[in-house]
Amino acid sequence: MIKKVMSLLIVLSIVMSISSVAPITVFAITATNGNCGENLTWTFDEETNTLSISGTGEMWDWSPGSWAPWDSIGAKFNVVINHGVTNISNYAFYSKSLTSITIPDSVIAIGDYAFSFCGNEFTSIVIPNSVKSIGDYAFSNNDLETIVLGS
């Protein structure tokens, strides 16, 4: 028992001495592209701060604890969803600092919490005629001033 306690104290003292000599720096690697649906991909252009989603079909659903792959983007950014994408999934842009979004007329559904808590620069959105359903709390807790709905 004494040997275990002594070993633990030695390890702790080594860790403490190392951390007091030089800070440990952790580098986060942020992905800038990947898949977000069976036939959908996303890319983030750091120069223009624009996230683009391309391809055909449905976006995978996300949820708390299983966030969208672009969740690590820390900057305020624009979103361009290209023609062919058919839905904006649950929690797709939850709590992201959006400045603008472009939604094509191929989108037919917007999921639950898709644009909740998207910051104070997200002030307007145009929802095309093609959208037939909007999920619960899709636009909650935003500073939206203008929402243009299709017919």
Side-chain angles (χ1 to χ4, degrees), residues 95-117:
S95 193
K96 298 310 302 167
S97 295
L98 301 185
T99 51
S100 69
I101 182 154
T102 303
I103 302 174
D105 62 5
S106 59
V107 171
I108 58 172
I110 297 173
D112 298 343
Y113 297 92
F115 297 101
S116 293
F117 298 96

Side-chain angles (χ1 to χ4, degrees), residues 36-37 40 53 57-63 66-70 81 85-94 101 107-116 133 135-138:
C36 58
L40 297 180
I53 299 175
E58 293 186 6
M59 189 183 295
W60 291 322
D61 272 332
W62 315 105
S63 64
S66 174
W67 300 109
W70 47 82
I81 298 176
V85 177
T86 59
N87 77 314
I88 299 170
S89 67
N90 295 337
Y91 293 89
F93 302 102
Y94 181 87
I101 182 154
V107 171
I108 58 172
I110 297 173
D112 298 343
Y113 297 92
F115 297 101
S116 293
S133 69
D136 293 337
Y137 306 102

Side-chain angles (χ1 to χ4, degrees), residues 35-91:
N35 294 327
C36 58
E38 188 171 322
N39 296 306
L40 297 180
T41 58
W42 68 277
T43 57
F44 181 67
D45 183 329
E46 294 180 33
E47 288 183 27
T48 63
N49 281 336
T50 301
L51 173 76
S52 299
I53 299 175
S54 303
T56 57
E58 293 186 6
M59 189 183 295
W60 291 322
D61 272 332
W62 315 105
S63 64
S66 174
W67 300 109
W70 47 82
D71 191 57
S72 62
I73 298 171
K76 295 176 183 176
F77 60 93
N78 307 305
V79 176
V80 175
I81 298 176
N82 292 296
H83 189 79
V85 177
T86 59
N87 77 314
I88 299 170
S89 67
N90 295 337
Y91 293 89

